[in-house]
Amino acid sequence: MAQVAPVSHSSASAKETGVLQVVAQAQDQDTASDLPDGSSNGDPTFVLSTQQENRVWNTIDKRIVPIITAIYLMSFVDKGNIANAKLQGLVTQLELMGNEYNIALTMYFVSYCLCTIPANLLLKKVRPSRWLPGLAITWGTITTLMGLVKTYPQLVGARIALGAAEAGLSSGIFYYMTMWYPRYMVQYRIGLCYGGATIAGAFSGLVAYGIAFMSGTAGLLGWSWIFILEGIVTVLVGLVALLVFVDLPDSARFLSPDERAYVIYRKKYDNSSVGEEEHFEVRHILEGVLDWQVWALAMVSCVNSICVFFQFIKSYSALTLISNFGYNPTISQLLSVPPYAAATIAVITWAIWSDRVQMRSPFVFAGYALMLVSFAINISHASAGVKYFGTYLAIIGGYAAFPAIVSWLGNNVVGHYKRGVALGVQLLFGSLGGVIASNIYHVRDAPLYIHGHTIELGVACGGLVLVPLIVLAYSRINARRGVAQRSEGSEKTELSEAAIRRLGDRALDFRYTL
């Protein structure tokens, strides 16, 4: 191991210039061997070239991103397949009346909301390699059993169970990613995972259409087979994940001891010059719940979810919109693919761009602007072709903005458990957006759905006002901290490292990402 002169912790943010120095003062011998193999506990004293650093992150990407993407894709498939089941006779066979279908949709989000924060706290206590695959196996089993329900109460019960089982996944995945990647590398990885969910929107309808031809097999209609087969696939994905999923960097056996130490160091001092708090205290829950920025960005997530989740409600969805243009179901299914394909490209492109410029708000704002234009088009008397173009804008805007929303909060909250609570609150509000979206589109409003579109239009406008206000608040806090830090430096006022760690994102040397 090449030894170099020790430097301060702030060197972790040094730019790559041929050789990246990742160094820190050597720890006392009694604290330098916290990892299972005795390697340094996140304070390496070695040098990585740019090529070596890239190789480390590429290795991590190959082990983490594919399996997470597969799980997340199946989550979106199972979350939205009730919409495809509705087309294949679910409502008719279960004799659903009035708003019973919408109530079944809503109950999923109710249990999802109640379980999101507790599930995120458990992720640090239960190994991620067991918790996240276990969730997939659980909800896959529930989805499979949904294919056997015979009554409305059974359907509602299954939806409640499904929401509870899936509650820990999205926030858990995003929290897990922030434990691996530095703040300005994380959105690209979240974008890759979310891109998988976008692909699910592109092809789940076509897959369901093919499965529907099994209608009558074993005495079950097509909607039953949609749940059964897609649920079985999810269970299989979960079982594979049990074999390949990895926990956190300190136990990553696919990395060398030096590489593990480097990754731990980069993460530990990524958000703070003295490292993050990693142990649990009750105050972390209170700080995560009471922090103004958590609520502000939770509202941003809610706005986005209201505008995105309408696509999972078959009384109105991208596919239904296209079918209203006068095409038969097969052509409508095919026409629903290109908007999602375009959204997948946008999700990844925006994520790369956002990480490169180290900003989140412009991409959230752009997504809301696209959705605003889309809903304005779809309440107009424009031609079918123009409204089809509007469908592109809604799907691209909603999907491409979401990774920036999650990354924005993850970037601005310091402390392992506080961040876990904060992301849980944010996803909880996202689920509330799903509750709202489940109840603003009604069959009686077909085919124009003016009532639902008008609400969506107002929500998008609210988002376009909210985002600049948050940026203004962050900018003012950053400016005040800069002034205070200079004043503190002139007065030689110092806090202990423990006190700065306790302050977390409230420390004077922390700057919020805009």
Side-chain angles (χ1 to χ4, degrees):
M1 180 184 298
Q3 299 294 325
V4 297
V7 299
S8 67
H9 288 157
S10 60
S11 65
S13 60
K15 301 296 183 181
E16 298 171 1
T17 54
V19 175
L20 174 66
Q21 290 191 343
V22 186
V23 295
Q25 291 184 339
Q27 302 295 302
D28 294 335
Q29 290 298 318
D30 60 342
T31 62
S33 299
D34 290 341
L35 298 186
D37 58 4
S39 60
S40 174
N41 185 25
D43 289 306
T45 55
F46 62 93
V47 176
L48 283 184
S49 69
T50 302
Q51 184 178 12
Q52 290 172 323
E53 186 193 12
N54 289 338
R55 185 167 62 247
V56 170
W57 296 117
N58 287 337
T59 301
I60 294 172
D61 289 343
K62 291 174 183 177
R63 285 299 303 267
I64 290 177
V65 174
I67 191 60
I68 288 181
T69 301
I71 293 175
Y72 203 52
L73 185 152
M74 294 312 302
S75 170
F76 263 66
V77 169
D78 293 337
K79 186 182 300 182
N81 57 14
I82 191 172
N84 295 307
K86 183 184 179 185
L87 284 181
Q88 301 301 329
L90 170 70
V91 173
T92 303
Q93 185 172 13
L94 298 188
E95 299 180 347
L96 302 185
M97 306 294 293
N99 289 328
E100 288 182 341
Y101 174 75
N102 293 79
I103 292 172
L105 293 179
T106 302
M107 295 311 296
Y108 166 90
F109 293 106
V110 171
S111 60
Y112 192 104
C113 290
L114 293 175
C115 298
T116 296
I117 295 177
N120 241 25
L121 291 175
L122 280 172
L123 182 63
K124 278 278 288 186
K125 295 296 184 182
V126 182
R127 293 170 57 189
S129 62
R130 296 296 176 264
W131 177 250
L132 295 175
L135 291 179
I137 294 170
T138 302
W139 93 65
T141 302
I142 294 169
T143 299
T144 300
L145 296 176
M146 279 179 62
L148 304 178
V149 301
K150 302 298 182 184
T151 66
Y152 169 63
Q154 291 175 359
L155 176 65
V156 171
R159 292 291 293 178
I160 292 173
L162 184 65
E166 286 198 29
L169 184 76
S170 294
S171 57
I173 283 178
F174 302 143
Y175 177 47
Y176 174 77
M177 299 289 267
T178 65
M179 301 296 290
W180 273 94
Y181 295 101
R183 66 200 304 213
Y184 297 125
M185 295 177 65
V186 71
Q187 186 177 334
Y188 169 58
R189 276 73 184 186
I190 292 177
L192 290 175
C193 297
Y194 201 67
T198 311
I199 292 173
F203 295 102
S204 63
L206 288 174
V207 172
Y209 182 76
I211 293 175
F213 284 104
M214 293 183 64
S215 183
T217 303
L220 299 175
L221 294 183
W223 67 266
S224 292
W225 285 111
I226 290 173
F227 286 135
I228 292 171
L229 294 183
E230 292 182 350
I232 289 174
V233 172
T234 299
V235 171
L236 293 176
V237 170
L239 292 173
V240 171
L242 280 175
L243 301 177
V244 302
F245 214 94
V246 296
D247 290 312
L248 300 179
D250 60 356
S251 60
R253 298 296 181 183
F254 64 93
L255 298 175
S256 69
D258 284 353
E259 290 170 339
R260 277 203 302 278
Y262 161 73
V263 173
I264 293 170
Y265 180 82
R266 281 293 306 271
K267 271 303 303 166
K268 185 173 183 179
Y269 299 106
D270 178 47
N271 287 341
S272 171
S273 61
V274 297
E276 290 188 283
E277 286 192 316
E278 301 179 9
H279 64 283
F280 174 75
E281 294 182 19
V282 174
R283 65 179 175 84
H284 295 147
I285 298 178
L286 298 177
E287 290 173 358
V289 171
L290 299 178
D291 195 337
W292 71 270
Q293 62 166 330
V294 174
W295 290 89
L297 290 174
M299 289 301 300
V300 170
S301 178
C302 184
V303 168
N304 191 75
S305 294
I306 293 173
C307 296
V308 168
F309 272 115
F310 82 95
Q311 298 164 55
F312 293 106
I313 301 156
K314 221 49 176 187
S315 56
Y316 182 78
S317 69
L319 176 59
T320 302
L321 172 63
I322 295 168
S323 66
N324 288 332
F325 297 161
Y327 300 111
N328 62 49
T330 303
I331 298 299
S332 296
Q333 292 278 10
L334 292 174
L335 287 176
S336 70
V337 173
Y340 286 103
T344 302
I345 297 172
V347 165
I348 297 173
T349 303
W350 286 22
I352 295 172
W353 192 2
S354 179
D355 276 345
R356 185 164 298 171
V357 300
Q358 300 184 359
M359 296 185 71
R360 310 303 183 201
S361 58
F363 302 92
V364 180
F365 191 89
Y368 286 169
L370 290 178
M371 289 187 286
L372 176 70
V373 174
S374 171
F375 291 119
I377 289 174
N378 282 296
I379 63 172
S380 70
H381 296 287
S383 65
V386 174
K387 289 191 174 184
Y388 181 55
F389 172 72
T391 304
Y392 274 82
L393 299 182
I395 296 174
I396 290 174
Y399 277 87
F402 183 75
I405 294 171
V406 177
S407 300
W408 199 3
L409 184 59
N411 288 167
N412 288 341
V413 176
V414 176
H416 289 191
Y417 282 97
K418 181 183 177 182
R419 188 185 303 119
V421 172
L423 289 171
V425 171
Q426 186 181 50
L427 268 295
L428 184 153
F429 270 72
S431 300
L432 291 178
V435 173
I436 295 171
S438 298
N439 291 281
I440 61 177
Y441 286 99
H442 302 282
V443 175
R444 65 175 179 270
D445 297 327
L448 297 179
Y449 299 97
I450 298 297
H451 175 75
H453 284 326
T454 302
I455 294 176
E456 298 277 15
L457 195 63
V459 168
C461 288
L464 290 172
V465 173
L466 180 60
V467 171
L469 291 177
I470 295 173
V471 172
L472 177 61
Y474 276 148
S475 299
R476 294 184 66 179
I477 293 172
N478 286 346
R480 286 201 301 266
R481 287 180 180 177
V483 172
Q485 196 172 19
R486 288 190 293 272
S487 174
E488 181 188 67
S490 65
E491 297 174 3
K492 304 298 182 183
T493 303
E494 293 185 359
L495 293 174
S496 67
E497 290 191 357
I500 296 175
R501 267 194 298 272
R502 187 178 180 88
L503 286 172
D505 49 77
R506 294 170 293 156
L508 289 182
D509 66 344
F510 182 81
R511 297 295 183 270
Y512 289 116
T513 298
L514 302 182

